[in-house]
Amino acid sequence: MTRPAIQTVDVPLGERAYQIHIGGGLLARAAEWVAPVLRGREIFLAVDANAMEPHGRTLAEALRPLGRVEIAIIPPGEESKCVAQLDALWDRLSGARFGRNAAVVAVGGGVTGDLVGFAAASYLRGVDFIQVPTTLLAMVDSSVGGKTGINNRHGKNLLGAFWQPRLVLADTDTLATLPMGERIAALAEIIKYGVIYDAELFRWLEANIAALRDLQPAAIAHAVRRSCAIKADVVTQDERESGLRQILNFGHTVGHAIENVAGYGTLRHGEAIAVGMIVESALGLGHGPAWTTAEHQRLVALIAAAGLPTMLPAGLDLTLPQLFAAASSDKKNRGTGTKYIVPRALGTVEAVTIADDVVAPLLLAAGAKP
Amino acid sequence: MTRPAIQTVDVPLGERAYQIHIGGGLLARAAEWVAPVLRGREIFLAVDANAMEPHGRTLAEALRPLGRVEIAIIPPGEESKCVAQLDALWDRLSGARFGRNAAVVAVGGGVTGDLVGFAAASYLRGVDFIQVPTTLLAMVDSSVGGKTGINNRHGKNLLGAFWQPRLVLADTDTLATLPMGERIAALAEIIKYGVIYDAELFRWLEANIAALRDLQPAAIAHAVRRSCAIKADVVTQDERESGLRQILNFGHTVGHAIENVAGYGTLRHGEAIAVGMIVESALGLGHGPAWTTAEHQRLVALIAAAGLPTMLPAGLDLTLPQLFAAASSDKKNRGTGTKYIVPRALGTVEAVTIADDVVAPLLLAAGAKP
């Protein structure tokens, strides 16, 4: 199998513009891309414990010729997105006397990127940040767009900053060891991009979903590149989420409510979003000729073909009152009623506020309890 | 005594532009200025415990017609600029389910403004922030410019964000209860503005320093307005401190080193800065016709007339190696050699890197030990 060429996506955010490089074997060659953006000779690698061998080590060795490299290990799991881990990173950075020209590099999945990105945003009021996502979900979603943050006992991502990376290196070779369940869950976000922004990507996914599940390099590279390009396009138009950016939330109002009520970690994020997309897709039916039962059924079929759930798993008893309470307290809905992103056509969505009694039967159909 | 009219300084930072209002009796009328900038109906007042009665209460009552007002009390003192207090504010904000349209208001001195400003910058990735400084130092310095932050065991202000307020309300009536020592210490920063930017302000201070010490309202209002206007001017040209803004650091390389070695709180910030200005002023001698011993002596005389120290207090044994180690590890000097801001003329300064052996005799003359 020939290895596809390295592909680059530009994120044209003015003075915060950056590039995303996608392909195999990037880590060992990382200095090629890091050197041009490095302001000083100080590099702080914060690495998910599960990504340290071999990825963290490969990257550390590749970057050592550029200057001092310190390594911090982040415990895996969502629990690490907490103030204690943030404080530990602050302590490591300041104890090792990193200066304003330092570059902080996150190596791992979304948890690592979100936590370490917030540390970079706030250390010395902001130092350079580089994302090295090693999961498919992080490559197509959290590593692009500049959202960083941690959780507290009142909710997810309540504390953080908008802080754009200076560079994203998505080495698709790191996906080889990713468990099948994680690969599949990430497909939910890729399918989302097709629905919200790119009918052509949606059709490509219908034809290539098996190749993606099998991690065929050319298919993975294409899906990651298109996903990053779409997210970059949306983020460029609305960096701080005051309007357009909310379309990225398709499937997430319901999906977050499911995760919240079920307890984070009960389902994978992508699994909850898959069910959420089906509910929110149905909310878009009956409002025009371009999103009909036929399009809705194609989405359900694609989700199923990806290996994602189309309903809540049996035995998971989530009630309507629980789900509505969670949806209305979602960060993005605080004080604004419950907003959903619904399709108008393949590649076009719209934000609408919808009453609970309209949503209820769809949640019941998806397996929620009364 | 007639009360001077309320004065306004514009800080023209593009889409982050804001106004500073200065005068007596502003707190009771705060709704006039807060209402136009408020996005929602949620107000979170974080108040220094010492400022709660009567200032916090007056403000809360003035703002209650605009919406829900929650009050958090901040323990007084520099120790409150810590991750535990930040986390407590995050917990209060999220526990009370404040949304993205909330306004967070800091009432107190620099400690409160820095801590609460960072909480506002990071809650939900940033909500609106209003500064209500109740000390002279906060009015002329920390409430303007958008620097927020907390300390950790490795240093001061190492963690934080650039986050501009939407509004600053400097009610000069709140200064009536300010202890004489605090008033005097704040004069150091006002004198600094004269040296670095405004020869006319310097001459005005030479003529009016006694009126300022006595808190004569017209004198206070003039000094606060000019100081805010100068700081706003500098910050507008260099919001994120990549160049010009460092001139605000005149007196602070040595001053911070003194505070750091003596232990924070041993001297007031303004007292350390006064001694620092004298040392750094002397570093500017001999480099041109416009900063001569005559100008240096005028600065020393003005500092003395303000009631500020011109030397380290007897009994405070700070050694040269301690001071140089602290100066070179200052956040702004990390990895760049030791930089000082030195005068070139009254109203003009320049950043220069100077070797320790040139600085040593001046520190000894100021009372340091070998």
Side-chain angles (χ1 to χ4, degrees):
Chain A
M1 205 181 310
T2 58
R3 169 171 275 185
I6 289 166
Q7 307 195 51
T8 298
V9 173
D10 284 298
V11 187
L13 281 167
E15 60 181 18
R16 293 185 296 288
Y18 62 95
Q19 292 191 313
I20 305 163
H21 302 287
I22 302 152
L26 267 68
L27 290 187
R29 294 166 50 190
E32 286 175 39
W33 298 281
V34 172
V37 304
L38 205 61
R39 288 186 218 264
R41 295 181 50 79
E42 297 183 310
I43 299 167
F44 185 87
L45 292 189
V47 186
D48 181 290
N50 289 336
M52 188 58 207
E53 300 295 347
H55 310 315
R57 189 161 308 276
T58 302
L59 185 63
E61 273 157 29
L63 297 182
R64 227 174 286 272
L66 302 181
R68 168 163 78 119
V69 176
E70 297 257 339
I71 299 174
I73 301 292
I74 311 292
E78 184 76 25
E79 317 79 68
S80 285
K81 282 178 63 173
C82 66
V83 71
Q85 288 294 334
L86 176 69
D87 196 26
L89 284 172
W90 281 343
D91 194 66
R92 277 291 302 273
L93 281 160
S94 51
R97 300 181 57 156
F98 276 82
R100 291 184 171 185
N101 290 329
V104 172
V105 184
V107 184
V111 165
T112 308
D114 287 0
L115 165 70
V116 176
F118 186 26
S122 49
Y123 179 62
L124 303 183
R125 299 196 186 94
V127 297
D128 283 346
F129 177 46
I130 294 173
Q131 288 267 29
V132 182
T134 62
T135 70
L136 186 55
L137 181 59
M139 286 181 191
V140 299
D141 185 17
S142 58
S143 69
V144 182
K147 283 193 181 181
T148 71
I150 60 172
N151 312 324
N152 74 3
R153 64 192 174 113
H154 298 295
K156 286 186 67 165
N157 297 316
L158 294 179
L159 320 165
F162 287 96
W163 195 247
Q164 299 295 340
R166 299 267 296 161
L167 174 69
V168 179
L169 293 179
D171 186 337
T172 49
D173 287 353
T174 63
L175 303 179
T177 53
L178 198 65
M180 179 59 83
E182 298 294 329
R183 295 182 204 175
I184 289 175
L187 299 181
E189 298 283 356
I190 303 174
I191 293 170
K192 179 192 79 176
Y193 290 118
V195 176
I196 67 172
Y197 212 73
D198 187 348
E200 196 185 320
L201 173 62
F202 190 90
R203 287 187 287 269
W204 181 88
L205 286 167
E206 290 181 312
N208 292 278
I209 198 77
L212 275 183
R213 283 183 57 166
D214 293 346
L215 293 179
Q216 288 186 15
I220 287 287
H222 179 78
V224 171
R225 188 180 64 76
R226 278 308 301 150
S227 298
C228 288
I230 292 169
K231 184 155 185 186
D233 215 27
V234 171
V235 167
T236 301
Q237 293 170 67
D238 178 25
E239 188 177 356
R240 298 188 72 90
E241 198 168 32
S242 48
L244 178 69
R245 190 167 178 158
Q246 63 188 349
I247 71 171
L248 297 170
N249 217 31
F250 174 56
H252 284 62
T253 304
V254 170
H256 281 160
I258 291 170
E259 286 185 279
N260 186 328
V261 178
Y264 288 96
T266 308
L267 290 85
R268 291 193 176 85
H269 177 68
E271 294 167 347
I273 269 40
V275 177
M277 285 196 290
I278 289 174
V279 171
E280 297 181 21
S281 162
L283 289 170
L285 293 172
H287 290 278
W291 190 258
T292 66
T293 312
E295 282 80 26
H296 177 68
Q297 284 305 328
R298 281 171 67 187
L299 174 59
V300 174
L302 180 56
I303 287 172
L308 287 160
T310 56
M311 286 188 61
L312 292 172
L316 196 64
D317 289 345
L318 313 182
T319 70
L320 292 183
Q322 290 174 317
L323 290 167
F324 285 126
S328 70
S329 76
D330 194 69
K331 183 169 39 127
K332 289 170 188 125
N333 278 315
R334 289 184 176 208
T336 62
T338 304
K339 222 188 256 175
Y340 300 85
I341 306 298
V342 306
R344 289 297 181 228
L346 210 49
T348 306
V349 288
E350 201 171 83
V352 285
T353 301
I354 302 179
D356 291 355
D357 59 348
V358 176
V359 184
L362 296 168
L363 288 172
L364 293 171
K369 306 295 173 206
Chain B
M1 203 180 310
T2 56
R3 169 171 277 187
I6 289 167
Q7 307 194 51
T8 298
V9 174
D10 284 297
V11 187
L13 280 167
E15 61 181 19
R16 293 185 296 287
Y18 62 95
Q19 292 191 312
I20 305 164
H21 302 288
I22 302 152
L26 267 66
L27 290 189
R29 295 168 49 190
E32 287 176 39
W33 298 282
V34 172
V37 304
L38 205 60
R39 287 185 219 263
R41 295 180 51 81
E42 296 184 310
I43 299 167
F44 185 88
L45 292 189
V47 187
D48 181 292
N50 290 337
M52 188 59 208
E53 299 296 346
H55 310 314
R57 189 159 308 277
T58 302
L59 185 63
E61 274 157 28
L63 297 182
R64 228 174 285 271
L66 302 181
R68 168 162 78 119
V69 176
E70 296 257 339
I71 299 174
I73 302 292
I74 311 291
E78 183 77 25
E79 318 78 66
S80 286
K81 283 178 62 172
C82 66
V83 72
Q85 289 294 332
L86 175 69
D87 196 25
L89 285 172
W90 281 342
D91 194 65
R92 278 290 301 271
L93 282 160
S94 50
R97 301 181 55 155
F98 275 83
R100 291 185 172 184
N101 290 328
V104 171
V105 185
V107 184
V111 165
T112 307
D114 287 1
L115 166 69
V116 177
F118 186 26
S122 50
Y123 178 61
L124 303 183
R125 300 198 185 93
V127 297
D128 283 346
F129 177 46
I130 294 172
Q131 288 267 29
V132 181
T134 61
T135 70
L136 186 55
L137 182 59
M139 286 182 192
V140 300
D141 185 16
S142 58
S143 70
V144 183
K147 283 192 182 182
T148 72
I150 59 173
N151 311 324
N152 73 4
R153 66 193 172 113
H154 298 294
K156 286 186 67 164
N157 297 315
L158 294 180
L159 319 167
F162 286 96
W163 195 246
Q164 299 295 340
R166 297 266 297 163
L167 174 71
V168 180
L169 292 179
D171 186 338
T172 49
D173 287 353
T174 63
L175 303 179
T177 52
L178 198 67
M180 180 59 86
E182 298 295 329
R183 297 181 205 177
I184 289 174
L187 299 180
E189 298 282 356
I190 302 174
I191 293 170
K192 179 192 78 175
Y193 290 118
V195 177
I196 66 171
Y197 212 74
D198 186 349
E200 197 185 319
L201 172 62
F202 190 91
R203 287 188 287 270
W204 181 89
L205 286 168
E206 290 180 313
N208 292 279
I209 199 77
L212 274 183
R213 283 184 55 165
D214 294 346
L215 292 180
Q216 289 185 16
I220 287 287
H222 178 79
V224 172
R225 188 180 64 76
R226 277 308 301 150
S227 298
C228 288
I230 292 168
K231 184 154 184 186
D233 216 27
V234 171
V235 167
T236 301
Q237 293 170 67
D238 177 25
E239 189 176 356
R240 298 187 72 90
E241 197 168 33
S242 49
L244 177 68
R245 189 165 179 159
Q246 65 187 348
I247 71 172
L248 297 170
N249 216 33
F250 174 56
H252 284 61
T253 304
V254 170
H256 281 159
I258 291 170
E259 287 185 278
N260 186 328
V261 178
Y264 287 96
T266 308
L267 289 86
R268 290 193 178 83
H269 177 69
E271 294 167 347
I273 269 40
V275 177
M277 286 196 289
I278 290 173
V279 172
E280 297 182 21
S281 161
L283 289 171
L285 294 171
H287 290 276
W291 191 257
T292 67
T293 312
E295 282 79 27
H296 177 69
Q297 285 305 327
R298 282 171 67 187
L299 173 60
V300 174
L302 180 56
I303 286 171
L308 286 160
T310 56
M311 286 187 62
L312 292 173
L316 194 65
D317 289 346
L318 313 182
T319 69
L320 292 184
Q322 291 174 316
L323 291 168
F324 286 125
S328 70
S329 76
D330 194 70
K331 183 167 41 126
K332 290 169 188 124
N333 279 315
R334 288 182 178 211
T336 61
T338 304
K339 221 188 256 179
Y340 300 86
I341 305 298
V342 306
R344 289 298 181 227
L346 209 49
T348 306
V349 289
E350 200 171 81
V352 284
T353 300
I354 301 179
D356 291 354
D357 60 346
V358 176
V359 184
L362 296 168
L363 287 173
L364 293 170
K369 307 294 173 206

